[in-house]
Amino acid sequence: MIRFFDVKVVYHKDSRDAEGRCVLNLPRLNLEEGCRYALIGPNGAGKSTLIKLLAQLIEPTSGTIEMGGIGDRIGYLPQKPFMFAGTVLRNVTLGLPRADNRTAQALAALDKVGMREFQKERSARLSGGEAQRVALARVIAQERRMILLDEPTSATDIAGEAKIEEALTAYWRESGCTLVFATHSPAQAGRLADEIIVLENGVIAEKNDAHQLLESPKNPTVRTFLNYWRLGDRTN
């Protein structure tokens, strides 16, 4: 179990900004290990901040986070992943411990995201969506207890999105890892998550079973947010 107790993240513009701006305020939040959680909400709601807290990239301004038995086996995929110089294959093998099966591990991960045929391609020539898929291969090439993803398909086309979702679902089933991802797509949240957490202005507006929340949200603000999504879905 991952537990948040009175966690706040406050950003200060400069040293004269004594009060600052609270971008995340979580009095209580429990995440079950082995479950899949989608974070949805408008821009600036606190989704990326929550992902970075779990990735231990930032510290809370106040409060405590208990990570349970996760340890340091955490895979993190930012919205705009960094690519190392060299080939696609090198980008995946660099993150793996030196071993005889290192290349085989990397190729297997690339195969899962549909990028094996690009193994000799230079990383600088990849599109944004292709880079996201290679970065995901780098994450799933080794054993993780938790995978954290910030808009993992934001730069991909429909085929790339399907490959990423398939790879994540397969890896979750095989590993039993905890999966937490931020997305602007409630439809993707419904496909991939067991539970959805809706954030608004840094606080949790609603947290519930994914399909129940999408079909019958209890919070009026969440209903309005989802109605905009459904309206857009009908017009596309």
Side-chain angles (χ1 to χ4, degrees):
M1 177 81 76
I2 302 163
R3 303 175 190 271
F4 286 65
F5 298 96
D6 296 318
V7 169
K8 288 185 179 182
V9 176
V10 179
Y11 287 160
H12 299 272
K13 292 180 181 178
D14 51 48
S15 58
R16 295 170 294 178
D17 183 15
E19 191 170 317
R21 180 172 68 94
C22 185
V23 296
L24 201 64
N25 182 7
L26 303 175
R28 292 289 184 276
L29 174 63
N30 294 335
L31 302 178
E32 296 280 350
E33 291 182 39
C35 288
R36 298 171 296 175
Y37 296 92
L39 310 178
I40 66 173
N43 289 334
K47 302 185 298 294
S48 296
T49 302
L50 179 50
I51 292 281
K52 289 176 181 176
L53 278 175
L54 288 167
Q56 302 174 37
L57 295 174
I58 61 173
E59 295 286 337
T61 306
S62 60
T64 57
I65 304 172
E66 294 179 357
M67 295 296 290
I70 298 295
D72 61 355
R73 287 189 291 172
I74 298 172
Y76 169 63
L77 179 62
Q79 188 173 345
K80 295 180 179 178
F82 178 79
M83 289 284 105
F84 298 103
T87 66
V88 163
L89 181 59
R90 180 176 183 269
N91 266 268
V92 181
T93 56
L94 275 175
L96 295 171
R98 293 193 175 276
D100 292 340
N101 65 339
R102 192 183 186 198
T103 299
Q105 278 182 268
L107 288 173
L110 285 169
D111 195 40
K112 289 175 182 176
V113 299
M115 291 295 291
R116 185 177 182 131
E117 65 188 69
F118 289 79
Q119 61 178 289
K120 296 180 180 179
E121 187 73 58
R122 309 297 291 183
S123 63
R125 296 177 182 172
L126 298 177
S127 69
E130 289 166 347
Q132 281 188 317
R133 288 157 70 184
V134 172
L136 178 60
R138 196 160 58 202
V139 169
I140 65 174
Q142 54 186 302
E143 184 181 350
R144 310 285 188 179
R145 292 294 301 276
M146 177 161 50
I147 292 183
L148 306 166
L149 310 107
D150 194 352
E151 299 286 348
T153 60
S154 60
T156 60
D157 56 17
I158 294 174
E161 180 178 278
K163 277 292 183 184
I164 286 176
E165 291 185 3
E166 288 169 12
L168 284 172
T169 300
Y171 187 86
W172 173 75
R173 285 174 176 161
E174 292 167 6
S175 68
C177 70
T178 305
L179 176 63
V180 184
F181 64 98
T183 180
H184 278 294
S185 169
Q188 184 175 73
R191 290 192 297 269
L192 289 182
D194 301 308
E195 287 195 25
I196 294 175
I197 300 170
V198 184
L199 290 166
E200 183 186 21
N201 296 323
V203 300
I204 295 175
E206 190 165 347
K207 177 178 180 287
N208 206 344
D209 171 83
H211 297 292
Q212 186 171 340
L213 188 147
L214 291 176
E215 291 299 320
S216 304
K218 298 176 182 177
N219 186 294
T221 303
V222 176
R223 281 201 297 271
T224 300
F225 176 78
L226 292 176
N227 281 337
Y228 278 120
W229 161 59
R230 291 189 182 96
L231 183 62
D233 192 49
R234 285 196 295 268
T235 56
N236 288 333

